[in-house]
Amino acid sequence: MNSILMFLDQAAATGDAGTASTGGNLLATILPFALVIIVFYFFLIRPQRKQEKEAAQMRDSLQVGDEVTTIGGIIGRVVSIKDETFTLETSRDRTKMRFLRSAIKSVDVKVADLRAAEAAAEEAPAEAPVSEEKPAEEGKKAKKSKKDAE
Protein backbone atom coordinates (compact mmCIF):
# COMPACT_ATOMS: atom_id res chain seq x y z
CA MET A 1 0.00 0.00 0.00
CA ASN A 2 2.88 2.26 0.78
CA SER A 3 4.27 1.75 -2.71
CA ILE A 4 0.97 2.76 -4.32
CA LEU A 5 0.84 5.98 -2.30
CA MET A 6 4.45 6.78 -3.23
CA PHE A 7 3.63 6.15 -6.89
CA LEU A 8 0.61 8.49 -6.76
CA ASP A 9 2.63 11.21 -5.00
CA GLN A 10 5.37 10.90 -7.59
CA ALA A 11 2.84 11.02 -10.47
CA ALA A 12 1.18 14.11 -8.99
CA ALA A 13 4.54 15.84 -8.60
CA THR A 14 5.62 15.12 -12.19
CA GLY A 15 2.14 15.90 -13.47
CA ASP A 16 2.36 19.49 -12.27
CA ALA A 17 5.85 19.92 -13.68
CA GLY A 18 4.88 17.98 -16.83
CA THR A 19 1.98 20.31 -17.51
CA ALA A 20 4.23 23.35 -17.46
CA SER A 21 6.77 21.74 -19.76
CA THR A 22 4.05 20.40 -22.09
CA GLY A 23 3.03 23.96 -22.97
CA GLY A 24 6.57 24.73 -24.09
CA ASN A 25 6.81 21.46 -25.98
CA LEU A 26 3.48 22.13 -27.66
CA LEU A 27 4.73 25.46 -28.97
CA ALA A 28 7.97 23.85 -30.15
CA THR A 29 5.94 21.16 -31.91
CA ILE A 30 3.43 23.49 -33.63
CA LEU A 31 5.88 26.25 -34.63
CA PRO A 32 7.69 24.25 -37.39
CA PHE A 33 4.35 23.22 -38.91
CA ALA A 34 3.14 26.82 -38.90
CA LEU A 35 6.38 27.96 -40.56
CA VAL A 36 6.04 25.30 -43.28
CA ILE A 37 2.45 26.41 -43.98
CA ILE A 38 3.54 30.06 -44.20
CA VAL A 39 6.40 29.18 -46.58
CA PHE A 40 4.04 27.15 -48.77
CA TYR A 41 1.61 30.04 -48.90
CA PHE A 42 4.17 32.68 -49.93
CA PHE A 43 6.20 30.54 -52.35
CA LEU A 44 3.57 28.30 -53.93
CA ILE A 45 -0.05 29.28 -53.36
CA ARG A 46 0.18 33.07 -53.69
CA PRO A 47 2.22 33.13 -56.96
CA GLN A 48 -0.08 30.51 -58.48
CA ARG A 49 -3.17 32.60 -57.67
CA LYS A 50 -1.50 35.67 -59.17
CA GLN A 51 -0.65 33.73 -62.35
CA GLU A 52 -4.22 32.40 -62.62
CA LYS A 53 -5.61 35.93 -62.20
CA GLU A 54 -3.33 37.27 -64.99
CA ALA A 55 -4.37 34.40 -67.30
CA ALA A 56 -8.06 35.08 -66.65
CA GLN A 57 -7.52 38.78 -67.37
CA MET A 58 -5.71 37.92 -70.63
CA ARG A 59 -8.59 35.67 -71.71
CA ASP A 60 -11.19 38.28 -70.82
CA SER A 61 -9.40 40.98 -72.84
CA LEU A 62 -9.35 38.85 -75.99
CA GLN A 63 -10.47 40.75 -79.12
CA VAL A 64 -11.24 39.83 -82.71
CA GLY A 65 -8.04 40.10 -84.74
CA ASP A 66 -5.62 39.11 -81.94
CA GLU A 67 -3.02 36.50 -82.80
CA VAL A 68 -2.99 33.76 -80.18
CA THR A 69 -1.25 30.50 -79.37
CA THR A 70 -3.33 27.67 -77.92
CA ILE A 71 -2.16 25.20 -75.29
CA GLY A 72 -1.97 22.65 -78.11
CA GLY A 73 0.51 24.83 -80.02
CA ILE A 74 -1.87 26.06 -82.73
CA ILE A 75 -1.16 29.64 -83.81
CA GLY A 76 -3.80 31.75 -85.50
CA ARG A 77 -5.92 34.88 -85.60
CA VAL A 78 -9.20 35.25 -83.66
CA VAL A 79 -12.13 35.61 -86.07
CA SER A 80 -15.09 35.60 -83.70
CA ILE A 81 -15.76 35.42 -79.99
CA LYS A 82 -18.81 33.99 -78.24
CA ASP A 83 -19.46 33.36 -74.53
CA GLU A 84 -16.79 30.82 -73.60
CA THR A 85 -15.58 29.95 -77.11
CA PHE A 86 -13.71 31.65 -79.91
CA THR A 87 -13.03 30.81 -83.55
CA LEU A 88 -9.43 30.73 -84.74
CA GLU A 89 -8.31 31.15 -88.36
CA THR A 90 -5.04 29.31 -88.85
CA SER A 91 -3.66 29.28 -92.39
CA ARG A 92 -3.74 30.75 -95.87
CA ASP A 93 -6.57 28.36 -96.62
CA ARG A 94 -8.49 30.19 -93.88
CA THR A 95 -9.07 27.04 -91.88
CA LYS A 96 -11.32 27.88 -88.96
CA MET A 97 -11.40 26.01 -85.67
CA ARG A 98 -13.44 26.60 -82.57
CA PHE A 99 -11.80 26.52 -79.11
CA LEU A 100 -12.68 27.23 -75.50
CA ARG A 101 -11.22 30.44 -74.06
CA SER A 102 -9.40 28.35 -71.49
CA ALA A 103 -7.34 26.84 -74.35
CA ILE A 104 -5.44 30.10 -74.88
CA LYS A 105 -1.83 29.89 -73.81
CA SER A 106 -0.76 33.38 -74.85
CA VAL A 107 -1.81 36.39 -76.91
CA ASP A 108 1.07 37.02 -79.30
CA VAL A 109 -0.10 40.18 -81.09
CA LYS A 110 -2.88 42.41 -79.76
CA VAL A 111 -4.98 44.24 -82.35
CA ALA A 112 -5.01 47.38 -80.19
CA ASP A 113 -1.18 47.40 -80.03
CA LEU A 114 -0.93 46.82 -83.78
CA ARG A 115 -3.34 49.66 -84.54
CA ALA A 116 -1.47 52.00 -82.17
CA ALA A 117 1.83 51.18 -83.89
CA GLU A 118 0.30 51.82 -87.33
CA ALA A 119 -1.13 55.16 -86.17
CA ALA A 120 2.25 56.19 -84.73
CA ALA A 121 3.98 55.23 -87.98
CA GLU A 122 1.54 57.35 -90.01
CA GLU A 123 1.95 60.38 -87.74
CA ALA A 124 5.75 60.38 -87.68
CA PRO A 125 7.23 61.13 -91.13
CA ALA A 126 10.14 58.94 -92.05
CA GLU A 127 13.26 61.10 -92.19
CA ALA A 128 16.55 59.87 -93.57
CA PRO A 129 19.30 60.04 -90.99
CA VAL A 130 21.93 62.63 -91.80
CA SER A 131 25.43 61.29 -91.68
CA GLU A 132 28.80 62.96 -92.03
CA GLU A 133 29.64 60.93 -95.14
CA LYS A 134 27.04 62.58 -97.36
CA PRO A 135 28.69 66.01 -97.48
CA ALA A 136 32.02 64.37 -98.19
CA GLU A 137 30.51 62.30 -101.00
CA GLU A 138 28.86 65.41 -102.45
CA GLY A 139 32.22 67.20 -102.32
CA LYS A 140 33.88 64.33 -104.23
CA LYS A 141 31.11 64.41 -106.83
CA ALA A 142 31.57 68.17 -107.24
CA LYS A 143 35.34 67.70 -107.76
CA LYS A 144 34.70 64.99 -110.35
CA SER A 145 32.22 67.18 -112.20
CA LYS A 146 34.78 70.06 -112.26
CA LYS A 147 37.43 67.72 -113.68
CA ASP A 148 34.98 66.49 -116.29
CA ALA A 149 34.14 70.09 -117.24
CA GLU A 150 37.83 70.95 -117.81
Side-chain angles (χ1 to χ4, degrees), residues 62-126:
L62 187 66
Q63 296 177 352
V64 173
D66 290 348
E67 288 188 19
V68 298
T69 302
T70 65
I71 56 176
I74 299 172
I75 301 170
R77 188 173 53 88
V78 176
V79 178
S80 68
I81 300 172
K82 293 185 181 173
D83 297 327
E84 288 299 314
T85 62
F86 68 97
T87 305
L88 194 68
E89 185 178 85
T90 58
S91 66
R92 289 184 185 176
D93 297 335
R94 297 186 182 259
T95 304
K96 294 180 181 176
M97 292 185 269
R98 197 167 146 209
F99 291 96
L100 291 173
R101 279 189 186 216
S102 60
I104 297 174
K105 179 180 178 183
S106 66
V107 176
D108 301 328
V109 178
K110 298 277 300 166
V111 170
D113 295 342
L114 188 61
R115 288 180 184 157
E118 288 175 356
E122 289 176 3
E123 289 177 6

Side-chain angles (χ1 to χ4, degrees):
M1 183 86 160
N2 243 354
S3 62
I4 294 176
L5 289 175
M6 276 190 351
F7 178 73
L8 290 175
D9 286 338
Q10 188 180 12
T14 57
D16 293 338
T19 307
S21 65
T22 305
N25 288 340
L26 183 64
L27 181 63
T29 305
I30 293 176
L31 188 63
F33 289 117
L35 289 174
V36 167
I37 290 171
I38 290 170
V39 166
F40 269 106
Y41 177 76
F42 280 106
F43 287 108
L44 296 176
I45 297 169
R46 196 166 163 235
Q48 184 178 2
R49 284 186 183 170
K50 183 178 177 183
Q51 189 177 25
E52 288 172 358
K53 192 180 289 186
E54 288 173 355
Q57 182 182 7
M58 173 196 61
R59 291 179 182 125
D60 290 339
S61 68
L62 187 66
Q63 296 177 352
V64 173
D66 290 348
E67 288 188 19
V68 298
T69 302
T70 65
I71 56 176
I74 299 172
I75 301 170
R77 188 173 53 88
V78 176
V79 178
S80 68
I81 300 172
K82 293 185 181 173
D83 297 327
E84 288 299 314
T85 62
F86 68 97
T87 305
L88 194 68
E89 185 178 85
T90 58
S91 66
R92 289 184 185 176
D93 297 335
R94 297 186 182 259
T95 304
K96 294 180 181 176
M97 292 185 269
R98 197 167 146 209
F99 291 96
L100 291 173
R101 279 189 186 216
S102 60
I104 297 174
K105 179 180 178 183
S106 66
V107 176
D108 301 328
V109 178
K110 298 277 300 166
V111 170
D113 295 342
L114 188 61
R115 288 180 184 157
E118 288 175 356
E122 289 176 3
E123 289 177 6
E127 295 181 16
V130 178
S131 66
E132 295 178 14
E133 294 179 29
K134 284 189 177 182
E137 289 176 6
E138 290 175 6
K140 288 179 184 177
K141 288 179 183 177
K143 288 180 184 177
K144 284 182 184 179
S145 61
K146 286 181 183 177
K147 287 181 183 178
D148 292 336
E150 293 177 356

